[in-house]
Amino acid sequence: MHEATSTTLRVSREAGIARVTIDNPPVNVLDVALMADLRHVLAELRDDDSARVIVFDSANPEFFIAHVDMSLIDSPDAFDQFETGLPDGVNVFQGLGELLRSQPQVTIVKLAGIARGGGAEFVAAADMTFAATEGAGLGQVEALMGIVPGGGGTQNVAGRVGRHRALEIVLGADLFDAQTAERYGWVNRALPAAELDAFVDRLARHIADLPDGVIAAAKQAIPPHDLAAGYLREHEAWAQQFVRPAAEALIRGGLAAGAQTRDGERDLEGLLRSEWARLEAPGS
């Protein structure tokens, strides 16, 4: 087995499978370092014919990817370095999802913990997701920050669950358990945590062992939808909300109240709702 380590990822390769473990303490926030490492590993694996399947998991049993780094509010240009080479009308967060969606390998997320915001967008951009019935959770929490998903979430989630459920997910901003996510079509299957590793390993090995050309033929026959127009609509909606005073106040207040810490992230929805209630209170 060949193993490699970056700042925020641990990567190993064995028998046609690349295993990418996200390790960006304390809660795997999608910050500049993790964005850079994910883009790098996807680019590196793109031309690696020995890798047929990529399995993503987390070194943190509680969190897969928490969400985009909320300190972006203080450094809005921090991610601009990733704009080079993006298709027209695609922002850097959508661009990460597009890299994942266009990967020649089969991409599988093994979801044992929570993925919100940009983390949930990453999950929805992967080819397949399998989630633990104990511990896994998905949420597009952006509405509680005064914004909407801006990294492909509105498009990929709607493609998986339909418009009516996508509106529930985006506007309700709740954390969805694995069983509900499976029923909605957000993930492929919900499995007992004790069975998750064995199931994903078995599926990844079966796919990696297929005859030459089968994976490429299947991905050609079942391509991802063209989201160019939807990405543009999503980015415009996100950008319009991001500059409003309410978004800045909620994001700064959320950070001050404990977002991006382990304790704060365990009930981020409750934390942000409390912050909104505080801001709305008379005299605040």
Side-chain angles (χ1 to χ4, degrees):
M1 179 187 295
H2 172 72
E3 295 188 359
T5 304
S6 65
T7 305
T8 65
L9 301 176
R10 299 202 303 264
V11 183
S12 63
R13 296 181 179 87
E14 181 183 13
I17 303 169
R19 303 181 189 277
V20 179
T21 298
I22 300 164
D23 189 7
N24 191 27
V27 294
N28 289 344
V29 164
L30 182 56
D31 56 14
V32 170
L34 180 54
M35 171 77 81
D37 287 345
L38 285 169
R39 287 172 57 91
H40 175 77
V41 77
L42 289 172
E44 184 180 64
L45 289 171
R46 180 171 296 277
D47 298 321
D48 185 350
D49 294 336
S50 68
R52 294 182 163 197
V53 180
I54 308 173
V55 177
F56 295 91
D57 64 9
S58 172
N60 186 329
E62 285 191 89
F63 302 98
F64 178 71
I65 298 175
H67 44 71
V68 171
D69 187 358
M70 291 166 63
S71 68
L72 176 66
I73 196 71
D74 288 318
S75 51
D77 301 329
F79 289 86
D80 288 358
Q81 60 187 285
F82 304 119
E83 290 179 347
T84 303
L86 289 178
D88 290 342
V90 173
N91 68 36
V92 295
F93 304 107
Q94 295 167 339
L96 176 62
E98 278 301 281
L99 283 177
L100 187 59
R101 291 196 333 131
S102 64
Q103 202 70 18
Q105 293 89 1
V106 173
T107 57
I108 301 174
V109 168
K110 184 166 59 176
L111 187 66
I114 293 171
R116 294 184 176 100
E121 289 175 322
F122 186 91
V123 169
D127 290 328
M128 307 177 197
T129 301
F130 300 91
T133 52
E134 309 93 338
L138 282 166
Q140 296 293 167
V141 71
E142 291 89 344
L144 297 176
M145 302 178 193
I147 55 177
V148 295
T154 63
Q155 304 305 299
N156 284 313
V157 170
R160 288 195 176 200
V161 308
R163 180 178 182 271
H164 60 307
R165 284 176 167 161
L167 284 169
E168 177 194 353
I169 289 165
V170 169
L171 295 177
D174 285 323
L175 186 67
F176 285 72
D177 60 49
Q179 295 95 325
T180 305
E182 178 194 54
R183 191 168 69 251
Y184 277 25
W186 203 348
V187 303
N188 289 66
R189 297 194 197 190
L191 299 157
E195 300 174 14
L196 183 63
D197 286 347
F199 180 90
V200 173
D201 285 351
R202 174 180 173 274
L203 177 63
R205 291 182 188 282
H206 283 186
I207 294 172
D209 288 342
L210 290 170
D212 288 346
V214 172
I215 293 171
K219 296 198 79 169
Q220 179 182 355
I222 313 170
H225 294 299
D226 183 351
L227 299 178
Y231 280 154
L232 183 59
R233 293 192 303 270
E234 177 186 75
H235 177 74
E236 289 175 347
W238 173 85
Q240 288 166 4
Q241 293 301 120
F242 189 74
V243 298
R244 289 177 178 265
E248 179 177 358
L250 282 165
I251 292 170
R252 291 189 189 282
L255 283 167
Q260 302 193 173
T261 68
R262 284 181 180 271
D263 287 343
E265 291 290 334
R266 289 184 176 117
D267 183 20
L268 182 62
E269 294 81 7
L271 182 153
L272 291 171
R273 287 190 172 95
S274 294
E275 186 59 23
W276 177 242
R278 185 186 70 80
L279 290 171
E280 285 287 279
S284 62

